[in-house]
């Protein structure tokens, strides 16, 4: 049984984010088990997430809960000893070194293609989609239309031409490769650290000039007309951003472009939230503008930097709706109720971070040699 003092301390912390424990608003947390207080006070964000997975608390609008949390940076204001140790390890060690490169593939992307096919749109784009533009009756594009808009914009930014050879670093299930091959007549080589992605991607891209390779980006060979990295930079780590830029530099033809589509942080960090690191994206973290700038300085020329603002938040909500709708078919030996709560927590956590503008979504276009104003920004 949590003491009155502990209850008060936790309640006062949440009050800083305008969250009331057992309050009546959609973003207020409803405590179901008194162990919630010990978990949150003693283990910070890791305890908060595990307490939700275990059913110690609920929230009617979990995405709004996280939006409130992130707007006041509540998680950073309460750093437990275990959280400090997590950040210290990230400072001392290269947690994204090549020997650990395939961990996130096994633990996240290989969970099951049935899960991702149920959650994602028809193009299976597993990164922020483009909701700005033509509106439907609900005031925003459908997920399918947002996927297509995002892929088409990338093709336009690179001005893809038939016969060009494109490298896709972190290709997922081949969403970009399939679209670019179908619509622009290019050849695409995609690399991934997920066996399941490569297997299903090969089926989805059958008959197209799209090839999948299981390899880390540091083992890339050959040269390409253009390179894309769509939603993969979050797995690189701040100690390795420069290495990625060097790989892109050596792999690009002289007039080639490197387009990075990534979530980005408004504050430089050295590690992700401990709960996200343990349960969702092992060894992941979002780069900041400063970290990326340092990585390509005096190596590549920044041609364009496009911020999509909260579009990724809308994407996460669309994924959540698909996931919840598909749960009766997914539930079983591979996915239990604790997994369901974990996955919901993950998607709402990211949605809230984007709506709070703690995270952004960027397209960054880099060139190898620059040139005399040759590139023109595309929107």
């Amino acid at each position: 049984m949590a003491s009155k003092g502990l209850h008060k301390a936790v309640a006062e912390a949440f009050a800083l984010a305008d969250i009331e424990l057992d309050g009546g608003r959609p973003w207020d947390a409803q405590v179901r088990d008194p162990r919630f207080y010990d978990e949150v006070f003693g283990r910070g964000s890791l305890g908060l997430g595990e307490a939700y997975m275990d059913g110690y608390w609920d929230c009617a609008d979990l995405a709004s809960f996280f939006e409130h949390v992130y707007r006041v940076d509540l998680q950073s204001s309460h750093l437990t000893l275990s959280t400090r140790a997590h950040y210290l390890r990230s400072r001392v060690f290269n947690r994204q070194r090549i020997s650990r490169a395939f961990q996130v593939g096994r633990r996240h992307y290989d969970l099951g293609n049935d899960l991702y096919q149920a959650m994602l749109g028809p193009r299976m784009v597993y990164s922020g989609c483009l909701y700005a533009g033509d509106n439907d009756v609900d005031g925003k594009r459908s997920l399918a239309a947002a996927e297509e808009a995002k892929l088409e914009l990338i093709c336009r930014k690179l001005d893809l031409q038939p016969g060009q050879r494109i490298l896709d670093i972190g290709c997922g299930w081949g969403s970009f490769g399939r679209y670019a091959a179908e619509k622009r007549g290019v050849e695409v080589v995609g690399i991934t650290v997920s066996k399941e992605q490569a297997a299903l991607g090969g089926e989805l891209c059958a008959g197209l000039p799209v090839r999948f390779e299981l390899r880390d980006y540091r083992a890339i060979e050959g040269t390409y007309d253009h390179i894309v990295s769509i939603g993969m930079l979050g797995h690189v780590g701040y100690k390795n951003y420069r290495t990625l830029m060097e790989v892109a530099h050596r792999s690009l033809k002289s007039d080639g472009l490197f387009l990075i589509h990534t979530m980005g942080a408004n504050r430089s960090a050295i590690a992700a939230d401990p709960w996200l690191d343990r349960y969702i994206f092992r060894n992941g973290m979002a780069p900041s503008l400063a970290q990326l700038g340092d990585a390509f300085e005096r190596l590549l020329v920044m041609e364009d930097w496009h911020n999509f603002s909260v579009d990724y938040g809308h994407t996460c909500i669309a994924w959540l709706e698909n996931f919840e709708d598909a749960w009766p078919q997914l539930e079983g030996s591979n996915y239990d109720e604790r997994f369901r709560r974990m996955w919901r927590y993950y998607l709402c956590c990211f949605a809230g971070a984007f709506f709070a503008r703690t995270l952004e979504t960027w397209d960054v276009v880099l060139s190898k040699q620059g040139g005399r104003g040759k590139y023109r920004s595309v929107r």
Side-chain angles (χ1 to χ4, degrees):
M1 187 74 176
S3 68
K4 290 183 179 179
L6 183 58
H7 183 291
K8 181 180 179 181
V10 174
E12 288 177 346
F14 280 108
L16 297 174
D18 190 29
I19 295 171
E20 182 181 349
L21 300 183
D22 298 323
R25 299 167 300 183
W27 62 86
D28 288 331
Q30 309 300 316
V31 180
R32 308 300 188 196
D33 190 304
R35 286 175 288 184
F36 163 85
Y37 298 100
D38 291 307
E39 287 293 315
V40 173
F41 187 82
R43 302 173 66 227
S45 62
L46 182 58
L48 179 69
E50 291 186 347
Y52 184 84
M53 292 165 62
D54 291 330
Y56 295 175
W57 66 283
D58 279 304
C59 181
D61 188 347
L62 195 56
S64 291
F65 168 90
F66 278 112
E67 184 175 357
H68 280 73
V69 166
Y70 283 118
R71 283 197 183 279
V72 298
D73 198 18
L74 187 60
Q75 291 171 303
S76 296
S77 65
H78 183 60
L79 295 176
T80 63
L81 288 176
S82 61
T83 302
R84 294 179 189 277
H86 169 69
Y87 289 119
L88 179 61
R89 287 191 294 271
S90 298
R91 185 175 296 279
V92 174
F93 303 106
N94 183 353
R95 300 182 68 244
Q96 298 84 13
R97 60 188 179 273
I98 196 166
S99 62
R100 298 164 65 95
F102 285 78
Q103 283 187 353
V104 71
R106 292 191 298 269
R107 297 189 183 190
H108 187 81
Y109 297 107
D110 289 348
L111 279 171
N113 285 327
D114 59 338
L115 168 65
Y116 294 107
Q117 286 175 302
M119 182 181 81
L120 305 178
R123 286 278 179 184
M124 294 199 71
V125 175
Y126 195 19
S127 55
C129 299
L130 184 58
Y131 279 91
D134 298 330
N135 293 330
D136 63 17
V137 293
D138 296 321
K140 65 178 185 295
R141 284 178 167 135
S142 67
L143 177 60
E147 285 185 322
E148 296 259 342
K150 180 248 193 71
L151 296 172
E152 176 61 24
L153 183 59
I154 291 174
C155 291
R156 290 174 54 223
K157 287 182 176 183
L158 295 174
D159 189 25
L160 296 183
Q161 300 298 318
Q164 288 183 332
R165 189 166 180 256
I166 314 301
L167 173 66
D168 186 354
I169 303 177
C171 61
W173 295 270
S175 58
F176 167 77
R178 180 157 58 107
Y179 185 92
E182 289 174 346
K183 305 294 185 179
R184 300 301 174 104
V186 299
E187 173 189 350
V188 181
V189 177
I191 66 166
T192 176
V193 294
S194 166
K195 293 180 180 179
E196 292 296 322
Q197 285 186 334
L200 180 57
E203 296 176 13
L204 295 173
C205 296
L208 294 170
V210 180
R211 186 173 83 249
F212 291 82
E213 296 181 358
L214 271 173
R215 68 172 63 202
D216 179 70
Y217 68 91
R218 284 159 284 206
I220 288 172
E221 299 174 346
T223 56
Y224 300 84
D225 293 288
H226 301 298
I227 301 174
V228 296
S229 174
I230 303 171
M232 173 269 185
L233 201 64
H235 303 305
V236 172
Y238 78 106
K239 291 180 181 288
N240 306 297
Y241 295 144
R242 182 70 176 186
T243 299
L244 175 64
M245 300 301 172
E246 291 170 345
V247 169
H249 184 271
R250 76 165 188 252
S251 303
L252 270 178
K253 293 184 178 179
S254 61
D255 58 348
L257 296 172
F258 179 26
L259 187 147
I260 301 170
H261 177 91
T262 183
M263 63 175 67
N266 284 323
R267 179 184 300 177
S268 295
I270 59 173
D273 170 85
W275 184 87
L276 290 170
D277 180 82
R278 176 174 293 187
Y279 289 100
I280 306 300
F281 294 120
R282 191 66 173 171
N283 310 318
M285 60 171 289
S288 70
L289 186 151
Q291 289 169 330
L292 286 187
D294 285 344
F296 63 71
E297 184 175 343
R298 305 180 73 175
L299 187 65
L300 297 166
V301 176
M302 195 276 286
E303 300 286 359
D304 189 38
W305 201 300
H306 185 183
N307 189 355
F308 295 93
S309 185
V310 299
D311 286 42
Y312 209 141
H314 294 303
T315 304
C316 289
I317 296 300
W319 291 342
L320 176 63
E321 292 171 352
N322 286 348
F323 172 71
E324 297 286 15
D325 288 344
W327 180 250
Q329 290 74 48
L330 291 171
E331 185 178 17
S333 58
N334 291 333
Y335 314 108
D336 58 13
E337 181 62 23
R338 195 168 191 263
F339 178 91
R340 181 186 188 182
R341 294 179 67 88
M342 177 190 78
W343 208 252
R344 180 192 298 141
Y345 190 90
Y346 146 54
L347 293 173
C348 289
C349 177
F350 272 101
F354 283 105
F355 291 144
R357 302 300 299 278
T358 299
L359 291 176
E360 309 286 357
T361 311
W362 299 325
D363 269 359
V364 185
V365 181
L366 305 169
S367 67
K368 190 168 183 177
Q369 294 185 339
R372 303 181 69 176
K374 179 181 178 181
Y375 186 83
R376 290 291 182 267
S377 298
V378 177
R379 295 292 185 270

